Amino acid sequence: MIIAVDAMGGDNAPEEIVRGAEKFALASEKMVLLVGSRARIEAFMNPSGSPFIKILDVDGDIDKDEITHRRLPASLRETFGLVARGEADCAVTFCDTANAVVAGVRVLKRLSGIRRPAIPVAIPRGDGFVVLVDAGANPSCGVEDLISFGLMGAFYAASALGIENPRVGLLNIGAEGSKGHNVIRMARTRMEKAFPFPFAGNVEGHEMFSGKTDVLVCDGFVGNVLLKGLEGLASHIFELSGSHGHGFHGSGLAERFSPEIYGGAPLLGVNGTVIVGHGRSGRDSVTSSLILASRLQMLGLPQGIGQLFRNRPFPSE
């Protein structure tokens, strides 16, 4: 297996990315291809080298996407290009999420039947995880997109997290069918009529950890605000509990919520396994992201999602 890594993306590039990639390669003996400035990457590499680390020297110039007019780092475009050309099996980046989404759509292309890719994040709860999707790829979306997010999120929950027959719910301001804006209401009506996974209806924010649903669907704006709010709240609680000498420290909860442990999240809906890591990722998070990329590639996640949409058991319109 060859994992292509955008070594120039993120706040701590390339040092922390190099350190994390070396740790992963040493433990897994899987090939890692670091994409970016050779001089900058080599400055942080172990002098003794590794047979499982290679560098693809890419100029740091910015390429302007012809369709979106968004300026994409050359290292990002080439990292995804390696997967598109079959020269790498999966890709990992720690760049800006919007850039990762644009590069995924433009370079890897979308799977048939999917209008917008989505990012699912597995959030710890008492009995395992609840999958939040979309967690930031799409600030706004339509009815069909929400339904697609539910399908992809449920498939991810079942295949990657081992959740049997996952329940899917729509994040909303109330349980009643009349609550929420028009897109949410229309999506609920469609999913109530025909959906291949158990549908839990509307789910309010306070029910997120109740077990009512395994997959919580929303647009990327709401999802990203919710996710960052949860991360901030968790950090604040851990700080408070530590300052008073009691609480969650030593319980393992801090580790479960730490991105350094769970790494990044997949970009679902494109033709390839892609992991988008946090921009502030340190070396441990980089290692965790590469572990996740390797595991999802072995599971054949993109191929499974593609098959799901080809065999979609209800009309897309």
Side-chain angles (χ1 to χ4, degrees):
M1 180 182 294
I2 300 175
I3 303 177
V5 180
D6 174 14
M8 313 312 292
D11 299 341
N12 299 315
E15 180 176 6
E16 293 299 297
I17 294 176
V18 171
R19 306 294 191 205
E22 287 182 327
K23 181 180 176 182
F24 168 82
L26 179 65
S28 69
E29 297 188 347
K30 290 184 171 67
M31 185 65 67
V32 177
L33 184 56
L34 297 174
V35 182
S37 167
R38 178 178 296 275
R40 293 183 61 193
I41 292 171
E42 287 182 338
F44 298 105
M45 289 188 67
N46 189 324
S48 61
S50 168
F52 302 105
I53 296 281
K54 291 185 178 180
I55 300 173
L56 178 61
D57 190 20
V58 172
D59 190 277
D61 289 345
I62 302 294
D63 296 333
K64 190 171 183 179
D65 184 78
E66 297 177 358
I67 304 298
T68 65
H69 304 295
R70 192 174 187 90
R71 296 170 65 82
L72 299 177
S75 61
L76 170 63
R77 187 182 287 273
E78 182 59 23
T79 298
F80 285 18
L82 288 166
V83 176
R85 297 191 299 270
E87 297 171 30
D89 297 292
C90 46
V92 178
T93 183
F94 303 91
C95 74
D96 173 79
T97 300
N99 279 345
V101 173
V102 171
V105 170
R106 300 303 305 161
V107 179
L108 290 169
K109 311 301 182 184
R110 289 166 292 192
L111 292 167
S112 178
I114 295 175
R115 196 172 76 97
R116 294 177 183 264
I119 295 176
V121 173
I123 300 174
R125 68 180 181 194
D127 61 345
F129 296 93
V130 57
V131 176
L132 177 68
V133 60
D134 177 25
N138 304 279
S140 62
C141 58
V143 174
E144 187 64 30
D145 300 319
L146 290 178
I147 297 172
S148 294
F149 298 168
L151 285 169
M152 291 191 290
F155 186 87
Y156 177 70
S159 60
L161 302 177
I163 301 175
E164 187 176 352
N165 213 20
R167 296 156 295 174
V168 178
L170 288 167
L171 182 60
N172 205 341
I173 58 174
E176 300 87 353
S178 60
K179 291 294 181 73
H181 53 68
N182 192 46
V183 170
I184 289 283
R185 294 197 303 271
M186 290 177 66
R188 174 183 170 128
T189 299
R190 289 266 307 277
M191 294 169 81
E192 282 178 331
K193 289 180 178 178
F195 195 71
F197 296 95
F199 182 55
N202 290 341
V203 179
E204 296 186 68
H206 68 87
E207 298 176 303
M208 183 173 183
F209 301 103
S210 68
K212 180 178 179 179
T213 187
D214 302 301
V215 179
L216 193 56
V217 177
C218 59
D219 64 55
F221 181 88
V222 171
N224 196 257
V225 170
L226 176 58
L227 177 63
K228 289 178 178 176
L230 289 171
E231 289 175 343
L233 177 61
S235 296
H236 184 58
I237 291 174
F238 297 142
E239 289 172 4
L240 289 178
S241 65
S243 67
H244 289 88
H246 60 80
F248 298 109
H249 290 277
S251 68
L253 285 176
E255 290 76 11
R256 292 188 71 195
F257 276 92
S258 171
E260 292 297 304
I261 300 300
Y262 62 73
L267 179 64
L268 303 181
V270 296
N271 280 294
T273 301
V274 174
I275 301 300
V276 181
H278 202 294
R280 298 193 301 273
S281 291
R283 62 194 67 182
D284 290 339
S285 182
V286 171
T287 300
S288 298
S289 295
L290 268 68
I291 292 172
L292 180 60
S294 173
R295 189 167 71 85
L296 295 185
Q297 175 62 23
M298 289 189 289
L299 287 172
L301 192 65
Q303 295 84 355
I305 291 176
Q307 185 68 28
L308 174 67
F309 276 77
R310 282 193 295 273
N311 298 334
R312 195 166 176 173
F314 60 96
S316 61
E317 296 296 340

